[in-house]
Amino acid sequence: MIDTKIQPLNYVKPLSERSSAYDFRSLDISQNNYDWDKLLSSEFLEQFLFNSKTKFPSSIASKFTERLEVAKNRGLGINALHKKGYTGKGATVAIIDQPLLTTHNEIKDKLIHYEEVDEHKSWSNEASQHGIAVSSILCGKNIGVAPDAKLVYFCVSDTNTDNYINAIDRVIKYNEEHPENKIHTLSISYAIPTENKEQEKRLLDIMQKAQESDIFVITTSLEKTYNFSFIGGDRNINNNLDNPQEYKEPLFIQKRNLSSNNKNSDTKNTLIVPQDRVTVASPIGNEDYTYYSDGGMSWAVPYLAGIYAVAKNSFPEITPEKFFDIAIKTGLEKEICGRKCSIINSENIIKTLEFENASDKILNKQNNNNNITLDNTNDR
């Protein structure tokens, strides 16, 4: 049952206390005398963080409004898939994350189950910026990768590993209790901790159990659970967001000034999906959104989960291994920081699955015809 007591979190801090020099969320800076020409240059735009309640000077407000809207586009063929009917309709996805603003317009009509899972609860039950953000990327009604998928949400208000273990166990049990809404995609924007080996083993064991139940558990540590190499990427918000050429290494790598000449000995291809310069739903109001320049891997996980949910819903026989293999092979190959990468192309993934599905049907029909011919021959 959905907990309607959860309220938006007023998370806005004074500018002096913020992590970014240009964190303008919910601030009225309409009268501030910043050097806006300088701040609006590409050098500084990557540091901007603002939302739909930020008040900018009237002379430049439209630039930010436009950026907020443009960045709602998930990019790399997602809109084209939606137009073809690949929206995740009929699928049920699950998220394990922080307390959710259950009344936001992006998810309120699709949230079919909300449950708190807490072993070591340490903070108040207010809606976080994280939970509604990942939900809107995965299955938001207007801005999600799988906008017609139903959402099952397990809330963990503490990052203690026990909470995640218990929450994953609850996802498995939910499938047993609700076969009509079976979950095949689980999005957890979380890295598997390694400091406690006993807890790590227990977490990996419950993830393995979920995998055996045909649940793709997508975290930021896919190399540990599936041996997949996966990372989020930056994109040029001013150009065509469907063009994979406009995508490159994520901002957190760019900021480290890592040289593309540093060859990586790992020969595995790394899959890249969008994570930077994106707009997500905000917990400050039911119709509010936040623009993040530096999104982080948290935003990459639900994007990948959304594409898998769409693919799995239309092609039930697909496995995480086959999906990832197709995603690597059909993406744009690019070298980033000395590593072979593939920029994901969602249209190509679905086209490949459509072709394979059609080929299988033709092959099956030919085999059936051959069997009929042989049977008739034997009768004679």
Side-chain angles (χ1 to χ4, degrees):
M1 188 168 185
I2 296 174
D3 186 350
T4 56
K5 295 184 293 182
I6 293 180
Q7 298 297 322
L9 172 65
N10 182 13
Y11 63 92
V12 180
K13 299 177 181 178
L15 199 59
S16 60
E17 297 178 17
R18 300 183 185 199
S19 59
S20 168
Y22 307 108
D23 184 348
F24 296 136
R25 286 176 292 178
S26 297
L27 295 181
D28 183 350
I29 51 174
S30 58
Q31 305 303 316
N32 288 61
N33 295 320
Y34 292 113
D35 184 347
W36 288 107
D37 288 338
K38 183 177 181 180
L39 291 181
L40 287 170
S41 70
S42 58
E43 179 185 355
F44 291 93
L45 272 176
E46 69 181 39
Q47 304 175 53
F48 271 50
L49 180 60
F50 63 95
N51 58 30
S52 45
K53 282 188 166 55
T54 304
K55 294 182 179 180
F56 290 99
S58 58
S59 59
I60 50 94
S62 62
K63 295 181 183 293
F64 291 95
T65 300
E66 179 183 9
R67 177 162 285 239
L68 189 78
E69 290 302 313
V70 168
K72 290 178 181 178
N73 180 357
R74 295 293 156 235
L76 295 174
I78 294 299
N79 289 340
L81 285 186
H82 293 170
K83 289 179 181 177
K84 293 178 181 177
Y86 290 102
T87 61
K89 187 173 183 179
T92 301
V93 298
I95 291 175
I96 298 173
D97 211 285
Q98 300 169 10
L100 178 69
L101 176 60
T102 60
T103 55
H104 199 286
N105 288 346
E106 287 291 335
I107 54 93
K108 68 176 182 180
D109 295 330
K110 58 180 60 256
L111 185 62
I112 61 173
H113 182 82
Y114 185 92
E115 184 176 331
E116 293 181 356
V117 182
D118 276 296
E119 283 296 312
H120 306 281
K121 189 171 179 178
S122 66
W123 41 283
S124 62
N125 205 24
E126 294 179 307
S128 75
Q129 57 86 20
H130 204 270
I132 189 58
V134 296
S135 299
S136 66
I137 293 171
L138 173 49
C139 60
K141 180 177 68 174
N142 301 304
I143 64 172
V145 175
D148 287 334
K150 292 173 284 189
L151 174 61
V152 173
Y153 197 98
F154 292 89
C155 167
V156 289
S157 63
D158 190 303
T159 57
N160 185 285
T161 303
D162 286 339
N163 285 335
Y164 288 93
I165 294 170
N166 293 333
I168 295 169
D169 186 57
R170 282 297 305 135
V171 173
I172 297 169
K173 287 184 169 60
Y174 180 90
N175 274 355
E176 296 170 356
E177 298 162 359
H178 303 275
E180 74 284 1
N181 289 317
K182 192 166 184 181
I183 297 162
H184 294 288
T185 308
L186 172 57
S187 176
I188 316 175
S189 292
Y190 172 74
I192 296 174
T194 58
E195 61 274 8
N196 185 318
K197 293 303 178 183
E198 186 273 332
Q199 281 190 331
E200 180 186 13
K201 183 180 183 305
R202 289 174 54 226
L203 184 58
L204 290 172
D205 285 347
I206 194 67
M207 287 183 173
Q208 179 62 36
K209 185 178 178 181
Q211 293 168 29
E212 292 168 357
S213 301
D214 198 18
I215 301 171
F216 187 8
V217 184
I218 304 176
T219 68
T220 63
S221 305
L222 286 181
E223 73 284 352
K224 286 189 175 183
T225 49
Y226 293 91
N227 199 28
F228 297 162
S229 184
F230 151 68
I231 196 171
D234 185 22
R235 57 189 190 164
N236 189 333
I237 199 72
N238 298 313
N239 292 341
N240 182 2
L241 295 180
D242 289 319
N243 183 357
Q245 294 284 3
E246 300 296 337
Y247 290 73
K248 56 183 179 180
E249 65 270 20
L251 280 169
F252 76 85
I253 288 180
Q254 295 176 43
K255 290 174 182 176
R256 294 176 189 170
N257 296 318
L258 296 181
S259 171
S260 60
N261 294 321
N262 294 331
K263 299 296 182 182
N264 193 303
S265 59
D266 190 348
T267 58
K268 288 188 302 182
N269 274 34
T270 297
L271 187 66
I272 291 187
V273 305
Q275 75 169 35
D276 294 334
R277 306 182 206 271
V278 298
T279 294
V280 299
S282 170
I284 59 173
N286 293 331
E287 299 179 359
D288 285 295
Y289 297 85
T290 299
Y291 171 82
Y292 289 88
S293 288
D294 190 344
M297 281 290 285
S298 282
W299 297 173
V301 168
Y303 185 103
L304 183 62
I307 296 180
Y308 182 77
V310 169
K312 182 71 173 178
N313 184 55
S314 298
F315 307 94
E317 299 304 314
I318 196 172
T319 62
E321 290 78 11
K322 182 176 181 179
F323 169 82
F324 205 85
D325 182 60
I326 292 173
I328 288 289
K329 290 178 179 177
T330 61
L332 174 72
E333 192 171 307
K334 206 171 187 180
E335 185 177 288
I336 293 178
C337 295
R339 181 186 288 269
K340 291 191 302 182
C341 296
S342 288
I343 313 295
I344 199 166
N345 187 317
S346 57
E347 276 192 284
N348 285 351
I349 293 172
I350 297 301
K351 284 178 181 177
T352 300
L353 291 170
E354 286 176 333
F355 177 79
E356 291 186 357
N357 190 51
S359 299
D360 288 343
K361 287 181 179 179
I362 292 172
L363 184 60
N364 289 336
K365 186 175 181 180
Q366 289 175 341
N367 289 336
N368 289 335
N369 289 340
N370 289 338
N371 290 335
I372 292 172
T373 303
L374 289 172
D375 288 344
N376 290 340
T377 302
N378 291 335
D379 287 344
R380 287 197 297 270

